[in-house]
Amino acid sequence: MEPWLIGIISFLVMMFMVFGGIPVFISMLVAAFGGFVALYHGDMTMVLTQFTNAPFNLGANYNYAVLPMFMLLGALAGETGIGEGAFSSMKAFLGRIKGGLLYTVIGANAVFGACSGSSIAGNIVFGKLAIPELEKAGYSRKYSLGCIAASGALSTLIPPSMGIIMFCLIAPSPLVYKGENMNLSVGSALMCGFGPGILTMIALGITVYLIGKFEKGALPPGGGPKVSTNEKIKSLKLLIPIVCLFGLIMGGTFLGWFTATVAGAIGATAICIYAFAKRVPFKKICYCIWDAAVMEAAIFPIIIGGQIFGRFISDTKLANFLSQAIADINAPPYVVFLLVMLLYILCGCVMDIVSIIIITVPIVFPILVNLGFNPYVLIIALCFMTEIAGLTPPVGMNVFATANALRVNPSEVFKGVLPYFITEVCIVALIGLFPQIVTVIPALLKVPGF
């Protein structure tokens, strides 16, 4: 049997197990084990070598320590009041205009993303902060919940982003791009999120405006207590912790003072010190540390399974075969890009964000790179697409995070998230058409790789 055919069969078996409700990491390990047995013609020595080396190499790779560090940073960012400060500052500037509180949610999520790196953290923090004020002001509950769930995705674009970091760790490297070997840099990838993040923030704001224009009664007319210029300027001090934390993490990484992994540790240490300074109860700090450890413990088996399955897919040359098949039928690269977007939306119906990245990257990423797409553009587009997939029923992790934080029925959130979902899908489609959205800011800043 041809190696690529073994790869296809194993992938289908794995997806069948996932759809059947079997945990993702078990599905990947079982499919990879059976695939390796078939690929190596029953040579168990080779199979067991793959299954023993990968867990050890991953456990010994300190680069993966960046994940729990940023998880801790995101957890403590919510406890120290950083999110509340971002919301209050944005509200001072935007609160009085029509739709101002929803613009505030979008802007605060973008600012909060500069230190949390987690969309779910934004969903929870701003859900609890904003919904009482939105309901009191007379905003449509449906569109308010949808805005909170959708704007959390900004944390995936505004660095430091957990999704981008994980993508860089999982993606095969070095890559052959335009005939040259290319090693992915986490720092360079993080800087690529600025342009799409700003564009998405503007697009979500336009969506809110259109909802107010065409849905009568969805948004109140605006107004409320006037905020003086002096008070607006004073509110900016609430952003100082975020600015300092962002400057420390991204400034140090960009200037080459330390790697992204070290930046995660420095950021986590800095936010712990800030938490003590804010007199956050020691018990809560310990809970955040425990929560980060538990999240890492849940993710790491999936990463191990994904790495082993990725090695299997690489050995079968499945990505190369599919790339050649696409070239032979002369499918336009952008059409393939759109099909991948559709695949991610379908995956989001049944899988969480981490699983989507780990399962799809070994196959999808090399195919699109071979078709001529810039690897950094793909990282941003596909990471954003996984977040958008988190808004789709029936699983929709971002929707369920918002619903659980507010103790509401997830169906309410799903109903209101549709216009924002369409907007964000359009942004990803634009990134595929105009890669300059991703590359222009890194090029201006002379980021390595641009």
Side-chain angles (χ1 to χ4, degrees), residues 36 228 375 382:
F36 275 128
S228 67
L382 296 182

Side-chain angles (χ1 to χ4, degrees), residues 196-247:
I198 294 168
L199 178 61
T200 302
M201 187 169 58
I202 294 170
L204 289 175
I206 292 172
T207 305
V208 170
Y209 172 79
L210 293 176
I211 288 171
K213 190 172 182 64
F214 295 106
E215 282 278 338
K216 289 185 178 180
L219 307 181
K226 188 175 181 180
V227 181
S228 67
T229 304
N230 190 39
E231 288 175 320
K232 289 179 180 179
I233 294 172
K234 282 183 178 179
S235 73
L236 293 176
K237 71 180 182 181
L238 298 173
L239 301 180
I240 291 174
I242 293 178
V243 172
C244 291
L245 198 59
F246 178 79

